[in-house]
């Protein structure tokens, strides 16, 4: 049953272009499975997506002739079977037999022998084929590699692509006691206070979850709030707040938080998390580019919508469901959000603009355009270390740029860009 669910979800992602999370949430077989089997199904799909280029290359090498388009579902079964054989250490007999059964369950009776033959060849020859593959190239669409090579250089681009092949650890942010949370969870305390777990299980079953001692948040995602450096009593507007990890950080620091998001459904998650954590914030459903406070706020955090290419480790479907054209559609709204943030913050107040993107057009280029305006805002550069940020994460002009290959020795991190900008007081212009 987990493999049937995995096949359904893989179809939804690769054929219908759904996100991994949405495909699982909407899967009709999901509620029929125990949590352990759901976890297995998700692992099967995630690993297949991470290695999709390699898997298709191997399938093409093992086939005597290309598969006709009308039997495309057979390729999905082969992808899942080979993923288990070559990357998930599933015993050969189990991977082959369950794949043949899966083909039959999907009505592919005429192709059972083909599935059996290809997977048996994969069991014999697959390891040698994998050893000769260039995983960084095969598992990343060429147009993405070209963009990252242009932005970071060929060597760093390759490191990014290889980092995407690793299942990310679970990171959590403690409300008050990082050391205690790390001890209770058996996790590793990273510089800056993030607690990292190499293996976990259902999040809600972990110690401290029900007590509101921590929340899930990647180490990189915690940096923009640290860059903002909120103080007790400071009024901070958190634009595009859902799902609420940064809202919780701000509230835990003692700030007076107004959290804005246009999705009432996503704000339900923010409210639920704040309630579990025992934290307070004003939560408002509104378009963040239209909302205005009664008086200018002390600081604004803009976690802008973007292509999310910095989160491919956690969302391995992104390279396969997005196009280059779609990647370029967020810049206009990002600029509007930043302009609006600078209008609602008080003179001398600060704005942190952040995106979980690897694309310069969704980070540095937006900030550079705003800073280029005469008499406009100025960067408040990082002069001292931001907790959790190493020297390599601070750019020459005082902004933050994390990459998936950073902290590689302890499990990597998401790709994030963040800049701290000061609205210039009138008498400074």
């Amino acid at each position: 049953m987990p493999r049937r669910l995995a096949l359904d979800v893989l179809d939804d992602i690769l054929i219908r272009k759904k996100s991994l999370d949405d495909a699982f949430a909407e899967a009709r077989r999901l509620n029929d499975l125990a949590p352990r089997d759901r976890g297995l199904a998700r692992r099967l799909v995630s690993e297949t997506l991470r290695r999709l280029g390699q898997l298709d290359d191997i399938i093409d090498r093992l086939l005597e002739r290309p598969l006709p388009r009308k039997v495309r579902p057979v390729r999905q079964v082969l992808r899942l079977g080979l993923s288990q054989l070559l990357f998930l250490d599933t015993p050969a007999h189990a991977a082959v037999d369950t794949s043949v059964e899966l083909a039959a369950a999907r009505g592919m009776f005429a192709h059972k022998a083909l599935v059996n033959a290809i997977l048996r060849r994969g069991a014999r020859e697959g390891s040698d084929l994998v050893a000769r593959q260039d995983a960084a190239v095969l598992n990343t669409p060429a147009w993405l590699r070209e963009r990252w090579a242009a932005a970071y250089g060929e060597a760093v681009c390759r490191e990014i692509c290889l980092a995407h092949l690793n299942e990310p650890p679970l990171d959590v942010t403690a409300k008050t006691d990082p050391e205690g949370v790390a001890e209770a969870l058996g996790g590793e305390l990273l510089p800056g206070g993030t607690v990292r777990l190499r293996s976990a299980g259902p999040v809600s079953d972990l110690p401290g979850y029900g007590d509101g001692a921590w929340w899930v948040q990647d180490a990189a995602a915690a940096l923009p709030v640290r860059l903002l450096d909120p103080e007790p009593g400071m009024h901070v507007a958190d634009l595009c707040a859902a799902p609420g990890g940064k809202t919780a950080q701000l509230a835990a620091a003692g700030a007076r938080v107004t959290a804005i998001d246009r999705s009432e459904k996503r704000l339900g998650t923010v409210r639920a998390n704040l309630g579990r954590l025992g934290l307070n914030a004003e939560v408002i459903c509104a378009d963040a580019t239209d909302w205005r406070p009664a008086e200018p706020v002390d600081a604004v955090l803009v976690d802008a919508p973007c292509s999310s290419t910095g989160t491919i480790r956690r969302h391995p479907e992104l390279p396969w469901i997005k196009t280059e054209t779609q990647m370029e559609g967020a810049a206009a709204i990002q600029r509007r959000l930043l302009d609006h943030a600078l209008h609602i913050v008080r003179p001398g107040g600060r704005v942190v603009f952040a995106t979980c993107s690897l694309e310069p057009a969704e980070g540095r280029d937006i900030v550079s355009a705003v800073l280029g305006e005469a008499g406009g805002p100025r960067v408040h550069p990082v002069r001292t270390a931001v907790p959790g940020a190493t020297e390599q994460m601070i750019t020459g002009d005082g902004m933050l740029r994390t990459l998936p290959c950073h902290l590689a020795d302890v499990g990597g991190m998401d790709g994030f860009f963040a800049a701290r900008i000061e609205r210039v007081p009138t008498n400074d212009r």
Side-chain angles (χ1 to χ4, degrees):
M1 187 67 81
R3 291 169 176 81
R4 292 192 189 185
L5 173 61
L7 188 59
D8 289 345
V9 169
L10 202 60
D11 282 345
D12 274 348
I13 293 170
L14 296 177
I15 298 173
R16 302 174 190 92
K17 306 303 181 184
K18 291 184 180 180
S19 72
L20 178 63
D21 290 340
D22 286 348
F24 264 100
E26 298 167 11
R28 59 187 176 86
R29 302 180 196 274
L30 185 67
N31 293 329
D32 297 335
L33 298 181
R36 181 177 178 180
D37 287 336
R38 294 180 197 174
L40 172 59
R42 191 173 183 104
R43 189 175 179 220
L44 288 172
V45 173
S46 296
E47 192 64 20
T48 300
L49 293 168
R50 286 192 184 95
R51 301 283 183 169
L52 192 65
Q54 286 179 273
L55 293 168
D56 280 348
D57 178 66
I58 290 171
I59 291 170
D60 292 341
R61 291 176 185 276
L62 295 178
L63 286 168
E64 293 182 359
R65 60 182 64 87
L67 283 173
R69 184 174 178 81
K70 65 181 179 180
V71 293
R72 181 171 56 184
V74 174
R75 181 173 287 269
Q76 298 283 58
V77 174
L78 291 174
R79 286 165 167 167
L80 279 173
L82 286 170
S83 178
Q84 295 170 73
L85 274 173
L86 302 177
F87 301 113
L88 291 174
D89 298 324
T90 303
H93 67 87
V96 174
D97 292 349
T98 56
S99 296
V100 172
E101 292 170 4
L102 191 57
R106 278 295 190 89
M108 305 174 201
F109 299 105
H111 299 96
K112 286 173 57 180
L114 174 64
V115 170
N116 182 69
I118 294 299
L119 291 181
R120 288 190 181 280
R121 279 194 65 191
R124 294 192 304 271
E125 305 171 27
S127 295
D128 290 338
L129 291 173
V130 169
R132 296 197 295 269
Q133 289 179 315
D134 189 335
V137 170
L138 287 172
N139 295 306
T140 310
W143 61 270
L144 269 178
R145 294 200 316 274
E146 290 168 4
R147 293 166 73 101
W148 297 340
Y152 306 110
E154 291 286 353
V156 174
C157 170
R158 185 173 185 82
E159 291 180 16
I160 291 170
C161 294
L162 291 174
H164 288 158
L165 302 181
N166 300 317
E167 183 178 1
L170 178 70
D171 289 350
V172 306
T173 298
K175 185 168 67 173
T176 58
D177 181 14
E179 293 84 359
V181 168
E183 183 177 357
L185 295 177
E188 177 183 2
L189 187 61
L190 301 182
T194 291
V195 177
R196 172 157 290 181
L197 284 70
R198 298 307 182 107
S199 60
V203 169
S204 59
D205 291 345
L206 295 175
Y209 178 84
D211 299 330
W214 50 264
W215 60 91
V216 175
Q217 186 177 40
D218 186 82
L223 293 176
V225 170
R226 295 177 190 154
L227 181 62
L228 185 71
D229 193 20
E231 301 169 3
M234 174 187 287
H235 188 190
V236 182
D238 182 8
L239 307 187
C240 310
K246 296 176 184 66
T247 303
Q249 268 185 288
L250 292 165
R256 181 163 61 93
V257 188
T258 302
I260 314 296
D261 201 278
R262 66 186 305 172
S263 170
E264 184 59 52
K265 180 179 179 181
R266 283 166 57 81
L267 283 176
T269 302
V270 176
R271 293 187 181 97
N273 284 334
L274 290 172
R276 178 178 64 83
L277 296 166
L279 295 171
N280 295 311
E282 181 184 18
V283 179
I284 298 175
C285 184
D287 185 328
T289 61
D290 292 333
W291 174 82
R292 289 185 175 277
E295 57 185 25
V297 297
D298 298 312
V300 183
L301 175 65
V302 184
D303 187 1
C306 64
S307 62
S308 302
T309 49
T311 68
I312 289 174
R313 296 183 317 142
R314 301 182 188 281
H315 301 284
E317 78 279 11
L318 287 176
W320 312 112
I321 67 172
K322 298 234 181 182
T323 66
E324 189 167 12
T325 300
Q326 289 172 321
M327 292 285 190
E328 296 170 350
I333 183 62
Q334 291 164 1
R335 176 61 191 269
R336 287 176 58 201
L337 283 164
L338 181 51
D339 286 342
H340 185 63
L342 288 164
H343 278 97
I344 63 174
V345 73
R346 63 172 174 78
R350 53 187 180 263
V351 172
V352 166
F353 175 82
T355 62
C356 57
S357 171
L358 296 174
E359 317 309 309
E362 296 182 326
R364 174 179 294 279
D365 292 356
I366 300 292
V367 172
S368 296
V370 170
L371 296 176
E373 297 176 349
R378 61 192 177 201
V379 167
H380 185 186
V382 181
R383 299 298 187 196
T384 58
V386 175
T390 63
E391 186 176 339
Q392 70 178 152
M393 300 173 195
I394 301 174
T395 67
D397 47 7
M399 302 182 198
L400 281 176
R401 159 52 69 198
T402 69
L403 299 173
C405 52
H406 288 164
L407 301 185
D409 57 331
V410 292
M413 66 195 312
D414 286 349
F416 249 89
F417 168 85
R420 184 172 56 199
I421 305 165
E422 181 183 5
R423 180 179 173 186
V424 180
T426 304
N427 57 4
D428 285 359
R429 295 182 181 176

